[in-house]
Amino acid sequence: MSTTFSTDSTANATPLTLDSALSAHVQVLGDALREKGWTVSSAESCTGGGIAFAFTSVAGSSDWFNQSWVTYSNDAKKNILGVTEQTLKKYGAVSKQTVKEMADGVRRNSGAQLVVTVSGIAGPGGGSEEKPVGTVWFGFLCGEHEAQIKQVFSGNRDEVRQHAISFAITHLVKMLSEN
């Protein structure tokens, strides 16, 4: 049995797109960051780079988007962002404490003034009674202000991930407008 792989980059390609409402939020975010002379950086787990994709979907994002990490494994969270083994053992990867330590690591590594981190359970498996599928923790830093927020989204894996991306960007805009 043989498998054929196409080298044609357009074969079976589904274009990645951003809905117009989210694109508008990213544009507002970018304009506000540009006006302040700030940058944003992110670290993502369950969203797998979706927030970074949203940022880079807007022309001119290189003016305000610094960098991003997809730290899907606990080892990546520890080795790249400095999340402690103790935090991961005591609270788990999907926790307030973990996204806070992720955010501190992003700021330390990037120097960005605006930071978002995300770690969650997109499903379909992996949930528990304490942390059901759809549980997502977010860490935010905006200047000297910080927040960690838990959301529980409904839907399938793709829907949970999309909700998380939208929530993260919407909350970044809100934080930036308040600070």
Side-chain angles (χ1 to χ4, degrees):
M1 178 180 202
S2 66
T3 305
T4 304
F5 294 95
S6 173
T7 57
D8 177 0
S9 64
T10 61
N12 300 319
T14 302
L16 296 172
T17 59
L18 202 61
D19 73 44
S20 60
L22 191 54
S23 183
H25 274 98
V26 174
Q27 187 66 56
V28 168
L29 178 70
D31 290 346
L33 286 166
R34 192 177 291 110
E35 185 174 305
K36 284 181 158 297
W38 282 14
T39 60
V40 64
S41 290
S42 61
E44 304 178 58
S45 188
C46 67
T47 50
I51 294 168
F53 170 77
F55 291 160
T56 59
S57 294
V58 174
S61 58
S62 60
D63 292 345
W64 49 267
F65 175 51
N66 188 4
Q67 59 191 321
S68 179
W69 294 268
V70 176
T71 53
Y72 207 73
S73 70
N74 285 352
D75 282 344
K77 289 174 181 69
K78 290 186 301 189
N79 297 333
I80 296 170
L81 301 176
V83 175
T84 66
E85 180 74 30
Q86 179 183 6
T87 294
L88 291 166
K89 283 184 178 178
K90 185 172 183 179
Y91 303 105
V94 181
S95 67
K96 176 180 184 172
Q97 295 80 2
T98 294
V99 296
K100 180 188 184 327
E101 289 183 23
M102 288 171 69
D104 291 341
V106 168
R107 174 159 294 158
R108 188 172 48 253
N109 287 310
S110 71
Q113 298 83 5
L114 187 64
V115 170
V116 59
T117 61
V118 60
S119 188
I121 306 164
S128 66
E129 192 172 314
E130 182 183 309
K131 296 178 185 178
V133 169
T135 302
V136 181
W137 272 98
F138 300 86
F140 297 97
L141 296 174
C142 181
E144 299 304 313
H145 298 89
E146 71 174 62
Q148 298 84 39
I149 301 171
K150 179 178 124 178
Q151 295 288 300
V152 180
F153 301 112
S154 61
N156 65 32
R157 181 177 181 80
D158 290 338
E159 291 167 332
V160 167
R161 290 163 39 101
Q162 186 59 49
H163 289 311
I165 293 164
S166 295
F167 178 83
I169 292 168
T170 301
H171 196 75
L172 285 170
V173 170
K174 179 181 180 212
M175 282 189 86
L176 201 54
S177 71
E178 292 173 351
N179 294 295

